[in-house]
Each structure stands twice: as structure tokens, then as C-alpha cells.
Amino acid sequence: MIEDEKIATPTDEHLREETAAAAPELAEHDRIATLQAELAEAKSSLLYAHAEAQNVRRRAEKEAADARAYAATAFARDLLAVADNLSRGLEAIPAELRDDEKLKNVIVGLEATGRELDTVFQRHGIKKMTTLGEALDPNFHQAMFEVPSDKPVGTIVQEMQAGYMIKDRLLRPALVGVAKKPE
């Protein structure tokens, strides 16, 4: 039995020979594993770069669409002042002058101009907000004063200046008076 153990037990020499024979095979296996890891890393980097390029493209498209949609914002704000002055001017005309034949055509022309201005606003996505009876929303309304009222506190009861939206963004907040508890 002792002799069998000697035969079954590899010698140091025998181990060195097996390791030397397996070394090229292990080196080739390590090289393949390294290349596979590098390939996986390159694929991951490529996918990341592709995703980043898509995100940049989408972001640029959105910014371009927003620029087109909201390019007229400053111009629209300026025109709102013109529309406000036109409305105030029409409201200031007394009823007895509205019936005067000499001024009737001027008044009709001014009213037609106001309607045309409203049509142009609508065509470009500019809408007047309705505020009376609504709850005060600081995102869309600017409270200028409080009025004692039987309406719920914070309800808009008076509008000093109309608010406008351009598409889904606030163009100008409405200047309003809100209800407060009667004293």
C-alpha cells in the first residue's frame, strides 16, 4: 500500500511539467477572457455614447420647438399693452357719444381692430385667462388688494388687468382683487 501511495502522489517534478504544459493554454484562456472583457466594455461605452447622442438630439429638438413656439413672447407682451389701451379707450367712450353719427364709424373701426387683435392672439396660441370667481393661484394671478365679500376667502372678485397664456405658459399674470372676510 505504501508503494501505491508513492505512485498516486505526484512529485514536484511532475507538477512542474503539468503546469508548464498548461501554461500556454492558461495564457490563451486569460487572453481570451481579457479580450472578452474589453469587448464588453467597448460595447457598453458604445451604447452609452449612442444613448447620450440620442438625448442630445432630443434635447436640441425640444429646445428648437420651444424656441419656435415661444419666440413671440416678448412681442406678444408688448401687444398686450396695445390691446389693453384699446380696450380702455373703448370703455371710456360715453354711451351718448356712441350714438353720435359723427363718431359711430370711428368706434366701429376701433371695435373691429380689437376683434382682429383678439383673432391674431388666438391664432398664435395667446389666450385670455378667466379669473372672476376662481380661487387665487399665485402661479397665474397677482393679488393687488383684498375686498370684504361674502365669497370664500381667496376667491377672485375683481380683475384690474386680464392675464394671458401663450400656449401652456404664463404670458402675463392677471392683476386681481380677492375676497376677504367682511369686517
Side-chain angles (χ1 to χ4, degrees):
M1 206 168 198
I2 293 176
E3 286 183 23
D4 287 338
E5 286 179 6
K6 282 187 179 179
I7 293 174
T9 306
T11 62
D12 288 340
E13 179 77 25
H14 187 266
L15 285 173
R16 276 193 290 268
E17 286 175 10
E18 282 183 14
T19 304
E25 189 176 298
L26 285 176
E28 183 68 22
H29 182 272
D30 288 345
R31 188 168 161 249
I32 290 172
T34 301
L35 289 173
Q36 286 175 336
E38 288 174 1
L39 178 62
E41 186 178 327
K43 282 181 180 179
S44 175
S45 294
L46 179 64
L47 288 174
Y48 178 77
H50 182 64
E52 184 63 24
Q54 279 184 322
N55 288 341
V56 167
R57 182 181 47 78
R58 283 187 196 128
R59 198 174 312 120
E61 287 172 356
K62 183 182 181 326
E63 287 173 2
D66 283 352
R68 282 189 300 276
Y70 302 108
T73 298
F75 183 67
R77 278 193 191 109
D78 291 343
L79 281 182
L80 289 178
V82 172
D84 290 341
N85 287 331
L86 181 61
S87 294
R88 280 192 286 271
L90 284 169
E91 289 171 6
I93 299 172
E96 60 273 1
L97 289 180
R98 287 183 178 273
D99 295 332
D100 187 346
E101 287 300 318
K102 293 177 184 176
L103 294 177
K104 194 165 193 129
N105 288 336
V106 172
I107 294 170
V108 168
L110 290 173
E111 289 171 341
T113 302
R115 285 191 302 275
E116 182 63 25
L117 194 53
D118 289 340
T119 301
V120 170
F121 284 161
Q122 289 175 4
R123 189 171 37 239
H124 292 281
I126 299 167
K127 296 179 186 133
K128 188 176 187 178
M129 297 186 307
T130 55
T131 58
L132 291 177
E134 304 253 335
L136 178 72
D137 183 346
N139 296 311
F140 300 106
H141 312 125
Q142 184 173 345
M144 302 302 292
F145 55 88
E146 292 181 316
V147 178
S149 174
D150 58 346
K151 303 272 185 188
V153 173
T155 301
I156 297 170
V157 293
Q158 198 171 0
E159 182 179 80
M160 293 178 57
Q161 185 178 57
Y164 285 85
M165 300 288 292
I166 183 167
K167 298 190 184 351
D168 61 343
R169 290 186 183 172
L170 181 67
L171 182 60
R172 180 177 80 183
L175 303 181
V176 299
V178 295
K180 72 175 186 176
K181 288 183 181 180
E183 293 176 22

